[in-house]
Amino acid sequence: MIIKEKCSICNNSVEEIIDLGLCPPANNFIEDKIQTVESYPLIVDFCNQCFCIQLRHCLSKKELYSYYTYSTPNIDSLDSHYSDLLIKLNSLGFAYHDQSCVEIGSNNGNLLKFLEPYFKQVLGVDPAKNIAQIAIDNGINTIVDFFSSRVAKQIAKSYQKFDVAIARHMFAHNEDPTELLSAMSLILEEDGVFLIENAYALDTFQNGEFDQIYHEHMFYFSALSIDSLMKRFDFELIDFEHTSVHGGSGVFICGKKGKHNVQESVIRTLENEIQVFENGLLFNNFKDRIQLTRSKTLKLLQDELLSKRVIGAYGAPAKAFTVLSYYGLNEETIKFCVDTTPTKIGKVFPVFNIPIISEEELCKIEYDTLIVNAWNYKEDILKKASSIFKKGTKLIFIIPELEIYIVE
């Protein structure tokens, strides 16, 4: 584990934003309750110089990804988002049949499978063997390894350079993003583009999305911090688009310096972010908001228990680890958690000792109330709620606001 005392981008001093306490590494489930897992601090710091927001305690790749279980879901909202990304690439003159695309952190290959008809060649790179195998079995050429300069050199030797490189919700998963950018410069065409998509820092802190803070997320990027980072290399931020995916994400499109026109969206976004960060209220409001929501939620759950109602959870995403640890919940309050991911079903949340069951198993047990961890797929869940949950089930969403839905 690395403990960062300086800004990872500009090496200046940083100040603490929030301390969420101790939490086990997200997405690392255990086989049974007797296994022990160590917990680590979740502390976030802020740099006033380059506006970098970073996790203080960064775990090693082995600690984070040895037993990785996240697999990108097949849902309507993501299919729609992939179409939006394609339209954005088209608008910049990319995603045509004579071009090639590489995705770093390609997971199960869903995005590349969608993009494959629009490129002459696609390639994925992902270190999780069990998840990458899903992509390979689905016909997506995938290198099973951590992306690095070493791997980039191998790619450059075996393939040609790429016109488009994509890093969706993985660029913040590296303790040193400069290493990834160094590698990227080896495989990207001079006039190519690098599309980075990550949870957008302003959404995370303005909306009280504290559960976006977990050990995989070592950075919380804004356009300002991406711009500062790119300037350290021969890259620049050329376009920005905001999307509602995962509770609010930023699509940062970068290119080699001087090769593309910088879009007006970048200028507007940088100006807006400076105003938000410099007024000094963002992080204090964030702390006040999440503390208030925690108090309200715990009171609600206590009332449910006093009424002899059985409480479970729906969704076992990485963010659930943060909710359980920050709220102090365990198997005494949350009896089970439902998930649709095969690699998670049958396993157990470490420390909290909450078993993960399938939707099919849910139909066979008694329950009254479910706290929905996968709130970022709220519309998808509510759309099919009546076919998954029994009538009268109370669904509790805690982000961005505490809301209750009764299944009809």
Side-chain angles (χ1 to χ4, degrees):
M1 179 175 67
I2 295 174
I3 302 176
K4 294 184 177 182
E5 297 178 347
K6 297 284 187 178
C7 175
S8 295
I9 294 179
C10 69
N11 204 39
N12 279 296
S13 60
V14 292
E15 60 185 50
E16 183 177 307
I17 294 173
I18 189 74
D19 181 350
L20 294 176
L22 298 174
C23 184
N27 278 327
N28 282 254
F29 298 93
I30 55 178
E31 297 296 331
D32 53 58
K33 295 179 182 180
I34 63 172
Q35 285 182 256
T36 58
V37 172
E38 189 171 353
S39 294
Y40 303 92
L42 279 178
I43 302 174
V44 181
D45 295 317
F46 175 64
C47 174
N48 281 303
Q49 297 298 312
C50 71
F51 306 98
C52 175
I53 304 172
Q54 64 185 37
L55 201 64
R56 185 181 301 176
H57 298 80
C58 295
L59 304 185
S60 70
K61 294 174 182 177
K62 182 178 180 181
E63 289 170 305
L64 288 175
Y65 301 113
S66 293
Y67 306 101
Y68 200 62
T69 56
Y70 177 76
S71 182
T72 307
N74 292 298
I75 56 174
D76 293 341
S77 59
L78 279 182
D79 289 341
S80 177
H81 179 57
Y82 296 160
S83 295
D84 291 340
L85 292 180
L86 179 61
I87 291 170
K88 170 57 69 175
L89 288 172
N90 286 159
S91 72
L92 296 171
F94 292 92
Y96 292 103
H97 294 290
D98 61 342
Q99 297 173 334
S100 55
C101 174
V102 60
E103 184 182 8
I104 312 303
S106 50
N107 200 261
N108 60 19
N110 281 3
L111 174 59
L112 287 180
K113 194 66 178 178
F114 175 85
L115 292 175
E116 191 175 28
Y118 305 96
F119 287 93
K120 70 176 181 181
Q121 181 181 31
V122 297
L123 175 69
V125 181
D126 198 281
K129 294 180 181 179
N130 56 328
I131 304 299
Q133 190 60 48
I134 299 172
I136 293 170
D137 292 343
N138 203 24
I140 298 299
N141 189 13
T142 304
I143 295 173
V144 184
D145 207 337
F146 289 99
F147 185 65
S148 62
S149 292
R150 173 186 61 80
V151 172
K153 289 175 182 176
Q154 292 175 355
I155 292 173
K157 184 177 180 180
S158 301
Y159 303 86
Q160 76 292 332
K161 289 191 174 183
F162 291 82
D163 302 286
V164 175
I166 297 174
R168 284 195 69 248
H169 298 276
M170 63 73 57
F171 193 69
H173 297 202
N174 302 271
E175 66 189 43
D176 183 9
T178 62
E179 179 185 353
L180 193 150
L181 285 174
S182 296
M184 184 57 60
S185 65
L186 299 175
I187 64 169
L188 191 66
E189 290 281 8
E190 280 298 304
D191 59 352
V193 292
F194 180 23
L195 186 155
I196 300 167
E197 181 185 316
N198 263 106
Y200 184 42
L202 264 61
D203 287 315
T204 297
F205 293 96
Q206 286 179 332
N207 298 336
E209 298 170 3
F210 73 93
D211 60 348
Q212 297 279 22
I213 299 170
Y214 49 88
H215 291 104
E216 283 179 34
H217 288 177
M218 301 182 193
F219 294 90
Y220 304 87
F221 286 119
S222 62
L224 284 166
S225 57
I226 287 287
D227 188 52
S228 296
L229 179 60
M230 292 300 154
K231 285 177 178 176
R232 290 189 55 187
F233 292 82
D234 194 28
F235 289 98
E236 61 182 343
L237 179 62
I238 63 170
D239 202 353
F240 173 84
E241 189 164 295
H242 181 266
T243 172
S244 62
V245 167
H246 294 312
S249 298
V251 178
F252 309 93
I253 299 180
C254 308
K256 298 287 182 71
K257 192 172 182 179
K259 296 295 183 180
H260 304 274
N261 294 325
V262 176
Q263 302 298 308
E264 181 65 27
S265 61
V266 173
I267 299 169
R268 289 196 310 269
T269 304
L270 293 176
E271 290 175 348
N272 175 63
E273 289 180 359
I274 288 173
Q275 291 181 346
V276 171
F277 284 123
E278 290 188 344
N279 73 14
L281 298 176
L282 179 65
F283 302 127
N284 285 332
N285 289 345
F286 170 73
K287 286 188 284 189
D288 292 343
R289 179 171 181 163
I290 67 172
Q291 288 167 2
L292 179 60
T293 302
R294 179 174 64 174
S295 296
K296 289 181 177 179
T297 304
L298 291 178
K299 175 64 166 59
L300 174 60
L301 295 178
Q302 184 61 33
D303 289 345
E304 293 293 293
L305 291 175
L306 289 174
S307 299
K308 307 297 183 182
R309 294 173 67 86
V310 178
I311 305 172
Y314 186 78
K319 54 172 60 73
F321 284 72
T322 306
V323 172
L324 295 172
S325 62
Y326 182 58
Y327 280 25
L329 301 174
N330 55 36
E331 61 182 330
E332 293 183 6
T333 304
I334 310 296
K335 300 302 181 184
F336 60 87
C337 181
V338 182
D339 202 88
T340 60
T341 309
T343 51
K344 297 179 183 181
I345 295 168
K347 292 185 169 58
V348 179
F349 275 97
V351 178
F352 320 113
N353 290 332
I354 299 170
I356 302 169
I357 66 173
S358 66
E359 290 182 349
E360 290 73 22
E361 290 175 272
L362 180 67
C363 298
K364 303 173 185 177
I365 63 175
E366 292 297 321
Y367 66 95
D368 304 288
T369 302
L370 297 173
I371 183 167
V372 182
N373 294 316
W375 57 266
N376 48 310
Y377 296 125
K378 178 180 176 181
E379 297 307 317
D380 296 282
I381 293 169
L382 292 179
K383 192 183 301 182
K384 60 180 184 178
S386 60
S387 64
I388 302 173
F389 314 117
K390 68 180 183 180
K391 186 177 181 180
T393 300
K394 183 181 290 187
L395 301 179
I396 300 174
F397 292 84
I398 64 171
I399 296 175
E401 304 287 350
L402 179 60
E403 293 181 290
I404 297 173
Y405 291 82
I406 305 298
V407 178
E408 297 179 352

